Amino acid sequence: MTDNQNAAATCLDETRFDVMVIGAGIAGAESALKLGDMGYKVLLVEKEPSIGGKMILLSKVFPTLDCAACITTPKVSETARHPNITIHTLTEVETIHRNGDRHFSVQLKKKPRYVVEKDCTGCQECEAVCPVITKDQFQFNLTARKAVYIPFNIANPRIALIDIDNCMLCGACEKACPSGCIDFTQKEQQLQITAKSIIVATGFKLFDPISIERYGYGRYKNVITSMQMERELAPTRPFNNVLRPSDGKIPDKIAYVFCTGSRDHTVGNPICSQVCCMYSTKQAQLLMGALPMADISLYYINIRAFGKGYNEFYLQAKDMGANYVKGKIGKITEKENGNLILRFEDIATGKVTEREHDLVVLSVGLLANPAIVKAFKDEKLELDAINYVQQPNMLQSPAQTSIEGVFVAGTATGPMDIPDTIMSAGAAATETSSYLTRLS
Amino acid sequence: MEKKERTIDIIKQERKVSAEVLEERKIYSRNRKAIMEVLKEGPKTIPQVAAETKLSLPDTTYFMMVLFKFGDIVVESLDDMDEYYFYELKKK
Ligand code: SF4
Ligand code: SF4
């Protein structure tokens, strides 16, 4: 059931659930779907305006090069339409208390959309008249959006919302909306619910390379992150093609800097992010398709192509002409024309070398997203040494956490790729179901 | 549909618009106008528009891509060197 239908059915009055899933990315959606199919009543809580997490924003997935949206959208729609699943978007979990042996009491904070969900048709007339533009976070700031906006084309629910902090309060949207659904009187709501069990599927944060000063991210316009390149390659991209942000030029010498913020003690993230080698390899293949004349160089420490079909995928990129260079980039400097000089030790020759590129993509790593621990008030949700949710019984029961009745799914446990995330979410659903059976 | 009272007037009593939002809106309007004016003469690349508007290259790229997103300008063709696209005003 979408927020839209929720409002219609006054599901906000619904307060008792078998499971609350925190985070509606692909792991949360998968766990919710599995449990919903088993007949459990599930509440899916998402802080963003759309469900689908980061996967819904990707171009294609490795190693099959399937369209990410084509996989995510049906799953997301199925979740949204499922009769046993209630979804609250724009909602954060504030506190979780244990309420006897069998329940958790949860306080939720639901932010106003300033749009009556059940009446919005997604027509975007409001966007057309809004005079304000502000950075579009769903395009990783490469372009802008209006103050009233639908987050992205395949957002679910596909309903407008108003970014009140950037709104000029001109009222043009309210005047233009054909269904009269804009409502500036909406207020933040506090919701109280109970759930017998909880799945933490809060995912990961992307490493922000601004902290690695020598790479120049934030200062040099043509140094972008892999997520920005992902958007440039997606069908719903911010530009009309892959272009340099400095001057709109079609790049012809593109470099990837692997392990940006991964395997690096100096930035506090000593572990491998598991996906960067392969998503960069995927992007290299897509770039060679989009820009057949471009040279793509990938600077790496080691290639970690550990999954099914991954090594073959890496070899395929090499066969297509991707130039893999063993050597970690020491420093990037910018030339006046926006080109970038990469300085590195070429491991093959043992020499410090400099090469010029016109666009640099930083293959950023994954970081833990541990904010949810603060919500647990009576018991502590233990984290591991690098702040991912601790799995005390990793081999026998990987979804178990330090709190009975609370399970974990997907990248909340550590970096992983999409197939492993889906499997982890399935495992969390199974363990939750078995716990609920024992409880009853 | 029955006519609803406009709710914008209610929120205006509670909230103030920040100076930053107003300033950004001004910058956007000014740049949009300048770019659209230059493109009235015919299709141009981003560096050509930057040279005529005196905006920086990154700002020109950003604002032209915003105009592209919102359908004010469209891609016309690619230059001879296959480096830059020409953009033109969308025919309304
Ligand atoms: S009231 Fe706010 S959101 Fe609506 S059109 Fe004006 S600036 Fe945009
Ligand atoms: S104009 Fe109204 S109905 Fe159309 S997208 Fe905006 S809020 Fe929704």
Side-chain angles (χ1 to χ4, degrees), chain A residues 371-416:
Chain A
I372 193 65
V373 294
K374 289 196 211 103
F376 289 90
K377 295 300 176 195
D378 304 322
E379 293 147 295
K380 192 165 178 220
L381 186 70
E382 297 285 352
L383 301 178
D384 64 19
I386 39 176
N387 282 337
Y388 288 95
V389 176
Q390 178 79 274
Q391 296 159 282
N393 202 357
M394 184 138 78
L395 295 182
Q396 285 184 345
S397 182
Q400 239 181 48
T401 69
S402 56
I403 305 179
E404 207 195 338
V406 177
F407 300 90
V408 62
T411 50
T413 64
M416 65 180 76

Side-chain angles (χ1 to χ4, degrees), chain A residues 126 129-132 147-148 162 167-174 184, chain B residues 8:
Chain A
C126 50
V129 297
C130 179
V132 172
V148 58
I162 292 173
C167 169
M168 262 177 54
L169 306 179
C170 70
C173 52
E174 190 172 17
F184 284 100
Chain B
I8 191 73

Side-chain angles (χ1 to χ4, degrees), chain A residues 95-232:
Chain A
T95 57
I96 302 171
H97 285 282
R98 188 175 284 282
N99 182 0
D101 285 344
R102 294 170 166 264
H103 290 101
F104 294 97
S105 285
V106 182
Q107 171 103 16
L108 303 171
K109 181 173 80 183
K110 192 172 172 92
K111 285 201 219 140
R113 231 176 224 275
Y114 300 105
V115 168
V116 179
E117 295 174 0
K118 69 180 173 50
D119 294 335
C120 174
T121 60
C123 68
Q124 294 180 287
E125 301 273 331
C126 50
E127 279 191 55
V129 297
C130 179
V132 172
I133 68 153
T134 185
K135 292 255 156 73
D136 184 347
Q137 71 271 39
F138 295 99
Q139 297 285 10
F140 295 84
N141 297 342
L142 288 172
T143 185
R145 60 162 171 76
K146 297 292 182 81
V148 58
Y149 66 108
I150 287 179
F152 45 92
N153 277 355
I154 49 172
N156 193 316
R158 202 176 179 285
I159 294 172
L161 74 150
I162 292 173
D163 165 4
I164 203 72
D165 294 328
N166 281 298
C167 169
M168 262 177 54
L169 306 179
C170 70
C173 52
E174 190 172 17
K175 217 166 162 186
C177 175
S179 49
C181 62
I182 295 204
D183 180 3
F184 284 100
T185 64
Q186 285 186 353
K187 297 269 180 294
E188 190 175 283
Q189 287 174 282
Q190 295 288 334
L191 309 172
Q192 193 75 42
I193 65 112
T194 62
K196 293 178 192 162
S197 61
I198 294 171
I199 295 181
V200 175
T202 43
F204 61 92
K205 286 193 294 196
L206 281 166
F207 176 78
D208 183 357
I210 206 131
S211 59
I212 307 184
E213 255 189 54
R214 62 184 195 281
Y215 288 170
Y217 182 74
R219 274 181 294 135
Y220 307 152
K221 284 279 170 195
N222 295 329
V223 176
I224 63 172
T225 67
S226 40
M227 202 56 186
Q228 289 177 311
M229 178 53 90
E230 194 73 36
R231 293 307 303 155
E232 288 213 33

Side-chain angles (χ1 to χ4, degrees), chain B residues 21-80:
Chain B
V21 169
L22 293 174
E23 183 57 28
E24 280 187 11
R25 155 79 195 143
K26 244 193 253 164
I27 294 170
Y28 172 56
S29 296
R30 196 169 54 223
N31 294 345
R32 180 180 188 279
K33 202 168 152 211
I35 294 168
M36 302 285 276
E37 200 57 44
V38 166
L39 288 178
K40 271 190 193 157
E41 297 157 15
K44 294 208 159 66
T45 64
I46 290 174
Q48 287 170 343
V49 173
E52 289 194 42
T53 55
K54 307 273 185 289
L55 282 167
S56 73
L57 266 170
D59 279 355
T60 313
T61 310
Y62 179 72
F63 287 109
M64 281 181 70
M65 288 303 109
V66 173
L67 297 180
F68 171 76
K69 174 177 172 176
F70 295 127
D72 292 315
I73 65 174
V74 292
V75 179
E76 199 250 352
S77 60
L78 197 53
D79 70 3
D80 293 342

Side-chain angles (χ1 to χ4, degrees), chain A residues 131 144 174 240-241 247 250, chain B residues 7-8 25 69 83-85 87:
Chain A
E174 190 172 17
N240 50 304
N241 200 342
D247 58 0
I250 300 174
Chain B
T7 58
I8 191 73
R25 155 79 195 143
K69 174 177 172 176
E83 280 189 329
Y84 293 98
Y85 285 98
Y87 297 89

